Amino acid sequence: MSNIEQMRTADLVAALKAAAEPTRLRILLLLAGGELNVKDLTLILGQSQPRISRHLKLLCEAGLIERFRDGSWVYFHISDRQAGGRLALRLVADVDPSEASVRRDRERAEALKRERESVAQSFFEEHAADWDRIRTLHIAEKDVEAAMRRALGDRSFEFFVDLGTGTGRTLELFADRFERGLGLDVNQTMLTFARANLKSKGCTKAQVRHGDIYSLSLADGQADAVVMHQVLHFLSDPALAIREAARVLAPGGRLLIVDFAPHGLEFLRTREAHERLGFPHDQVAGWLQDAGLALRAVEDLAPKAGSRDDMLTVTIWLAERPATQMPITKISLPKEEAREGAR
């Protein structure tokens, strides 16, 4: 018996009633394509914020969607780890995608997504030459890079992929570990800089090219290792990017994610085009599980005591496409030291 069939009759009826209202069905269709906040939905659907908030509240109460907070923003999504979420996905799968209102909502959502991500791209273009310097404003990059190398271990990789390669620094860092390296980035200015950087460092086994992190031009199961270094917080749909990274991993292949722990520095949204203010362990773990990957290790790199107030903690997640069963480990600094560093 499926989890949906195991839902209580009252819960199932409530969920179906909630989904039957036209605007709420449109909301479910949009959330099936990725996480959105109230402001996004008001712009796409052309309805007032109180009205959209009311619809979202009813959908949450019916168990069809979930909400999570990211700084001062609240996002909504459909989680297929819950029976209500799986029911929502089954319902929207039966909706004709060519219907005029459905097509119009999808086009508006895509336009909004492109507009938001163009802000990040403009920032990249403006700061391409000093992007590595900007990264060091948050936590010592040498410490992060050392932890990245420890996480991936001493093994060598036949095909190594760096998503959102930026300046190509990650390819340079692991040049001694792979036979063939590929860096993908959507920004041509960054790619130009990365090519020049890798050439000057003698990284002849690595190349970079244009690529969409949501739709990689790579075959399934092709990569032995994929790295996403300080990429997720710029994305509108981090979960989709993780699923796409998982798709190209070979059995036993490893995915290394490096990003910020949750923080409250709201100015990073405007000053540095951050979409998300860090990620809690369980959120990324859920995305990895949904993508069919096994979480192998988590490591927090907290700033040292006495650091500036705007220094951020960096988290490293190591996941693997299962080939063997391994225990999950969790590594972090002592609580007292991490607490002092956060002051």
Side-chain angles (χ1 to χ4, degrees):
M1 181 179 292
S2 70
N3 287 335
I4 293 176
E5 292 171 336
Q6 291 176 342
M7 292 178 67
R8 293 191 314 158
T9 301
D11 293 338
L12 181 59
V13 170
L16 292 173
K17 288 177 63 177
E21 199 278 334
T23 297
R24 290 198 284 273
L25 181 58
R26 291 168 68 189
I27 290 174
L28 289 177
L29 284 162
L30 289 167
L31 294 182
E35 300 155 349
L36 296 168
N37 57 41
V38 175
K39 182 180 178 181
D40 296 334
L41 290 166
T42 59
L43 291 172
I44 295 168
L45 298 174
Q47 298 186 22
S48 68
Q49 182 170 329
R51 193 170 188 177
I52 293 297
S53 295
R54 173 63 177 168
H55 286 309
L56 290 169
K57 180 176 183 293
L58 292 172
L59 289 171
C60 284
E61 290 175 349
L64 293 168
I65 66 174
E66 297 176 355
R67 53 178 284 160
F68 66 91
R69 183 169 293 278
D70 180 43
S72 62
W73 292 8
V74 175
Y75 284 85
F76 297 85
H77 69 146
I78 296 176
S79 172
D80 61 5
R81 293 190 299 275
Q82 302 296 330
R86 286 189 288 274
L87 173 61
L89 292 173
R90 179 180 293 185
L91 293 173
V92 299
D94 292 332
V95 177
D96 183 1
S98 65
E99 186 177 328
S101 62
V102 175
R103 186 176 64 253
R104 183 171 58 253
D105 289 347
R106 185 173 62 248
E107 290 171 352
R108 289 176 177 173
E110 287 299 318
L112 178 63
K113 180 178 176 181
R114 289 193 298 269
E115 180 182 349
R116 281 164 44 176
E117 294 187 348
S118 70
V119 174
Q121 293 309 313
S122 296
F123 177 80
F124 291 156
E125 291 178 2
E126 181 180 353
H127 298 282
D130 62 353
W131 183 238
D132 286 331
R133 180 187 62 78
I134 291 173
R135 280 179 172 172
T136 63
L137 296 177
H138 305 294
I139 191 169
E141 196 69 9
K142 62 180 179 63
D143 295 334
V144 176
E145 292 181 349
M148 290 169 64
R149 287 182 63 89
R150 288 196 307 270
L152 278 182
D154 297 329
R155 64 184 287 187
S156 296
F157 304 99
E158 183 176 343
F159 185 34
F160 180 98
V161 177
D162 180 29
L163 299 181
T165 193
T167 64
R169 173 57 188 165
T170 296
L171 292 170
E172 178 189 346
L173 177 65
F174 287 97
D176 62 331
R177 300 276 186 89
F178 58 74
E179 293 300 317
R180 181 166 66 100
L182 176 64
L184 298 173
D185 204 295
V186 74
N187 189 276
Q188 293 294 346
T189 302
M190 295 298 270
L191 291 172
T192 299
F193 187 87
R195 291 188 185 100
N197 181 51
L198 292 171
K199 182 178 180 180
S200 69
K201 301 298 173 55
C203 297
T204 58
K205 296 185 296 183
Q207 62 174 260
V208 297
R209 68 174 185 235
H210 182 272
D212 182 352
I213 200 167
Y214 295 130
S215 182
L216 301 175
S217 56
L218 297 172
D220 294 358
Q222 191 175 359
D224 302 295
V226 175
V227 175
M228 306 173 81
H229 181 203
Q230 299 290 16
V231 171
L232 292 187
H233 62 256
F234 289 108
L235 301 181
S236 298
D237 195 343
L240 176 58
I242 288 176
R243 290 198 299 272
E244 186 66 357
R247 180 185 64 78
V248 304
L249 274 179
R254 296 181 175 182
L255 172 62
L256 185 70
I257 297 174
V258 183
D259 221 292
F260 297 123
H263 61 86
L265 302 185
E266 291 284 347
F267 69 89
L268 292 179
R269 293 193 195 274
T270 53
R271 197 182 81 179
E272 298 192 11
H274 290 202
E275 277 280 330
R276 303 299 177 86
L277 299 183
F279 304 93
H281 291 178
D282 58 351
Q283 184 178 50
V284 176
W287 288 338
L288 292 169
Q289 181 180 348
D290 289 346
L293 302 181
L295 179 64
R296 298 308 190 198
V298 181
E299 181 176 4
D300 286 324
L301 301 174
K304 296 179 180 179
S307 298
R308 301 191 322 266
D309 291 340
D310 63 346
M311 291 289 286
L312 304 177
T313 294
V314 170
T315 303
I316 295 178
W317 292 267
L318 177 67
E320 183 178 78
R321 177 159 299 286
T324 58
Q325 293 297 319
M326 295 171 56
I328 296 175
T329 60
K330 184 174 181 178
I331 309 166
S332 61
L333 294 178
K335 290 184 178 179
E336 188 60 35
E337 183 177 349
R339 189 183 309 115
E340 292 178 357
R343 291 173 183 168

